[in-house]
Amino acid sequence: MKYPIGIQDFEQIIEGDYVYLDKTALVYDLVTNGKIYFLCRPRRFGKSLLVSTLKYYFEGKKELFKGLAIDKLEKEWKQYPVFHLDFNGINFTDAGMLDKTLLGFVERQEKIYGRDEFAEGLGSRFVSVLKAAHEKTGLRAVVLIDEYDKPLLDVLDQDLNITINGQKRKLEEWNREVLKGFYSVFKAADADLQFVLLTGVTKFSQVSVFSGFNQPDDISMDEHYEALCGITEEELYSTFEEQIKVMAVRYKTTEEGMKYKLKRKFDGYHFSSDMLDIYNPFSILNSLSKKRLSDFWFRTGTPTYLVRLLSHFKENLNELTGKYYPTSSFVDYRADVEAPLPMIYQSGYLTIKDWNMNMDSYLLDFPNDEVKNGFLTLVATSYLQPKESTDAFVLQVVSAMDVGDCHQLENLMTSFFASIPYSQRRKDDEREKERYFQYTFYLVLRMISCFDQRQESASHFIIRKIQEIGIGIHIPVFDGKITALINHRQRCFHICLVVDKTTRRIKPVHHLVDVLIKMRQQANKIGWQTGTEPIIRQNLLAQSI
């Protein structure tokens, strides 16, 4: 089986005999039941392949669709004039690059359909060329714009300028203004348009980009088109059954066990209240091709715009995840660096986990282990800025916990805290000092929790609730491992327990008490004062068995 990893051209996939999961029934439904659409999906989720499929369909390339669902549905196969604009691969941090890109796009179309000498301005010229294409072919034009938001995301929250008519302007504001003017032409060209699709990662607030543009049908959270991009569980099991069996042998588990591992690692995306499970196509295809579980999607790079936004974020991550939100809180992004939730959700780092019908609100959390582990590492590195590698530190901690090496755990924790720059640790008041220490420990625990890979049905979790600034967090305790469990309102926290694998009873924790008190004393030296060590010892010893 040939996997179309990194291939976004529909024709190349079909002619190259790569595996293709047939989405053409949904494509036909899309083009016959509407006109102007907007679709938001995370990066590497199949948006470009969808656009390519639509391009070849509207060009009437019937031979490419032989044997697919649309082959029986479409009877006419007309050849529409297609205008395909792809913003991928262009660096819009260069001043004037957006203007050059749009000008080049319009000029190429004018060479095919002719230029109206009376049309002035880029927008007017594009309207004229759409009209000319309609008149020349007798069919209305199709406009496909891939990654419509890249010119905005590239310059988001960057101190970049452009000089326009001798005046210095913010590049972010200028690019938004240019795109607003360009997209507004679709309203004037409505009579000459057959179909329009804009895809992107982020839905920017309509007042900033789409005002003046005929409001598109946003299908990003439409349950009918939830499976338009990505791989459903049914598609995965029916198409890759043999490949899953091969991986099961390699990982020394059953077929069902392997399905669970794949699900936990790459599944978990939901784009509507129907909660249809969608797998990340880039990661799952890489995993099946290479026959291993790895962080394929996250390793392709974290969007720089998201890193910049997170640097402004003042809240703790545990105050952001595992909560219900109205759609207005995470659907429209209004370029507000102090409220990054829409950007985090739309970029694929959070997803829908439940829907409250009565309140019409959605529970947001990490989609799967790949995203959770990668994002937590990203946040920890950005928030703490330690000199040590966060990834390497977590692996070393997990290894120490696996063998119950308390001394090594103490050394690792102490070393990691000491590697955090003083400028990061220093806070203005006692509450902030304590909050920072708690959040540091919380991030470490969340990263460690990503390494429990057992099947849920076979595992024996001891669930404890952490009350941290009023927010409840559940942390599993693994057999033979150590984990911090509680934060009492009396400020007694960081209980460590060791669970005996045979008796499943908690072992004495005297030594671990000393370990954590030493860690606390180390924290005191760098400005995290609480003076609760005696209370910690008393409470911890009282809970030992």
Side-chain angles (χ1 to χ4, degrees):
M1 180 178 287
K2 296 174 67 176
Y3 299 89
I5 299 171
I7 302 176
Q8 302 172 340
D9 184 74
F10 176 75
E11 182 179 49
Q12 186 177 348
I13 289 175
I14 298 301
E15 293 184 345
D17 198 27
Y18 290 91
V19 62
Y20 174 73
L21 300 178
D22 191 356
K23 305 284 187 179
T24 59
L26 283 174
V27 168
Y28 183 78
D29 184 276
L30 190 72
V31 301
T32 55
N33 288 295
K35 181 175 180 178
I36 301 179
Y37 294 99
F38 170 77
L39 176 64
C40 167
R41 285 292 184 269
R43 61 189 178 88
R44 296 187 178 274
F45 228 87
K47 300 187 298 294
S48 295
L49 177 57
L50 171 64
V51 169
S52 177
T53 304
L54 286 163
K55 173 179 176 290
Y56 288 111
Y57 164 76
F58 279 113
E59 288 177 345
K61 300 289 184 66
K62 180 180 180 179
E63 67 280 2
L64 294 177
F65 296 87
K66 186 177 180 179
L68 299 178
I70 203 171
D71 189 26
K72 298 179 180 179
L73 297 171
E74 182 58 74
K75 306 300 181 183
E76 298 183 355
W77 292 99
K78 298 178 181 179
Q79 296 181 346
Y80 293 89
V82 177
F83 295 77
H84 179 205
L85 178 57
D86 187 359
F87 285 127
N88 277 302
I90 304 175
N91 181 13
F92 291 102
T93 59
D94 294 338
M97 180 56 69
L98 176 59
D99 305 70
K100 295 176 184 177
T101 300
L102 293 177
L103 179 61
F105 171 72
V106 172
E107 287 179 339
R108 286 192 295 273
Q109 308 308 319
E110 288 176 335
K111 287 185 178 180
I112 300 174
Y113 301 107
R115 176 177 177 178
D116 183 353
E117 59 181 322
F118 297 105
E120 296 183 0
L122 192 62
S124 296
R125 288 169 63 181
F126 189 38
V127 170
S128 296
V129 107
L130 291 172
K131 183 177 182 63
H134 185 188
E135 293 175 346
K136 185 174 182 178
T137 64
L139 295 172
R140 294 183 178 88
V142 172
V143 179
L144 306 171
I145 301 181
D146 198 10
E147 302 293 353
Y148 91 102
D149 52 349
K150 192 173 187 299
L152 301 178
L153 294 177
D154 278 4
V155 298
L156 185 65
D157 193 36
Q158 294 222 64
D159 188 20
L160 299 173
N161 300 298
I162 185 172
T163 301
I164 304 295
N165 298 325
Q167 292 186 340
K168 183 179 289 187
R169 300 278 304 276
K170 286 285 187 182
L171 187 56
E172 180 181 346
E173 296 175 357
W174 177 252
N175 281 3
R176 182 177 289 107
E177 191 174 310
V178 170
L179 284 181
K180 180 178 177 180
F182 183 75
Y183 294 142
S184 67
V185 306
F186 294 129
K187 186 173 184 178
D190 185 65
D192 301 306
L193 293 172
Q194 176 69 25
F195 183 87
V196 177
L197 174 66
L198 288 83
T199 73
V201 171
T202 307
K203 182 184 178 183
F204 280 83
S205 174
Q206 294 181 346
V207 297
S208 63
V209 172
F210 292 140
S211 59
F213 174 23
N214 281 354
Q215 293 301 313
D217 182 2
D218 184 358
I219 59 174
S220 303
M221 293 184 64
D222 189 330
E223 60 267 17
H224 188 64
Y225 298 111
E226 191 169 9
L228 194 57
C229 295
I231 298 176
T232 67
E233 194 162 80
E234 181 182 353
E235 290 171 334
L236 176 66
Y237 294 165
S238 61
T239 306
F240 303 103
E241 181 180 5
E242 293 304 317
Q243 287 73 20
I244 294 174
K245 289 180 180 178
V246 171
M247 287 191 69
V249 173
R250 181 171 188 176
Y251 278 87
K252 299 178 181 179
T253 185
T254 63
E255 182 179 350
E256 289 303 312
M258 196 65 238
K259 288 179 179 179
Y260 175 80
K261 288 180 179 291
L262 291 170
K263 184 179 184 67
R264 176 163 175 169
K265 188 73 173 178
F266 305 122
D267 187 22
Y269 284 99
H270 307 108
F271 298 107
S272 80
S273 57
D274 272 11
M275 303 294 291
L276 177 67
D277 283 341
I278 305 291
Y279 284 74
N280 183 317
F282 182 80
S283 288
I284 195 68
L285 290 177
N286 268 284
S287 182
L288 293 170
S289 174
K290 297 174 175 58
K291 299 180 180 60
R292 62 185 174 90
L293 301 171
S294 190
D295 298 335
F296 297 105
W297 182 73
F298 207 88
R299 288 179 181 176
T300 60
T302 304
T304 55
Y305 62 82
L306 187 59
V307 176
R308 293 194 298 270
L309 282 179
L310 289 175
S311 67
H312 295 279
F313 189 45
K314 303 300 182 184
E315 301 301 319
N316 289 351
L317 185 63
N318 55 315
E319 298 169 351
L320 186 68
T321 59
K323 294 172 59 177
Y324 282 86
Y325 296 91
T327 54
S328 58
S329 296
F330 63 91
V331 171
D332 287 352
Y333 182 67
R334 303 179 184 276
D336 182 1
V337 296
E338 300 299 331
L341 178 66
M343 186 70 75
I344 297 173
Y345 165 77
Q346 293 169 16
S347 298
Y349 297 93
L350 294 177
T351 194
I352 296 169
K353 288 299 183 180
D354 190 23
W355 176 50
N356 186 318
M357 181 185 299
N358 295 327
M359 301 295 292
D360 191 26
S361 59
Y362 295 85
L363 175 67
L364 300 186
D365 213 327
F366 299 112
N368 52 51
D369 281 355
E370 177 187 19
V371 174
K372 180 173 73 171
N373 188 29
F375 190 73
L376 287 169
T377 301
L378 169 67
V379 171
T381 302
S382 175
Y383 185 79
L384 304 174
Q385 297 184 15
K387 297 177 183 178
E388 296 184 5
S389 167
T390 308
D391 288 333
F393 161 73
V394 171
L395 290 175
Q396 289 175 313
V397 167
V398 172
S399 297
M401 293 166 72
D402 279 334
V403 298
D405 191 338
C406 302
H407 293 289
Q408 177 66 359
L409 177 63
E410 176 187 352
N411 292 335
L412 287 169
M413 289 291 192
T414 302
S415 175
F416 183 75
F417 287 153
S419 74
I420 300 173
Y422 179 75
S423 59
Q424 292 296 112
R425 300 191 302 253
R426 182 167 49 84
K427 300 298 174 183
D428 295 333
D429 55 52
E430 291 301 318
R431 175 177 172 79
E432 282 302 304
K433 291 175 183 178
E434 179 65 19
R435 187 169 182 263
Y436 183 80
F437 182 83
Q438 293 179 22
Y439 189 45
T440 300
F441 216 90
Y442 163 81
L443 287 174
V444 172
L445 291 177
R446 286 301 299 264
M447 287 189 291
I448 292 171
S449 71
C450 296
F451 284 84
D452 176 52
Q453 296 295 330
R454 296 173 299 173
Q455 292 193 37
E456 187 174 1
S457 59
S459 65
H460 181 69
F461 289 128
I462 303 174
I463 303 300
R464 301 288 186 180
K465 178 176 284 188
I466 296 179
Q467 293 182 328
E468 188 168 32
I469 320 177
I471 303 297
I473 310 296
H474 288 85
I475 301 292
V477 183
F478 317 117
D479 289 355
K481 292 186 179 180
I482 309 161
T483 185
L485 292 179
I486 66 169
N487 178 338
H488 286 311
R489 293 195 182 280
Q490 296 90 345
R491 296 159 67 88
C492 311
F493 60 104
H494 304 336
I495 289 184
C496 277
L497 305 176
V498 179
V499 181
D500 188 286
K501 294 182 179 180
T502 304
T503 65
R504 292 191 177 279
R505 293 173 66 83
I506 302 173
K507 294 180 180 180
V509 295
H510 298 69
H511 178 70
L512 292 176
V513 172
D514 293 331
V515 168
L516 288 170
I517 288 178
K518 287 179 181 178
M519 290 166 52
R520 188 52 150 174
Q521 291 170 345
Q522 176 69 20
N524 291 343
K525 293 179 182 179
I526 54 178
W528 293 321
Q529 295 279 353
T530 60
T532 57
E533 288 77 10
I535 306 177
I536 294 175
R537 176 183 293 277
Q538 180 180 354
N539 281 270
L540 287 176
L541 294 180
Q543 295 195 29
S544 64
I545 295 178

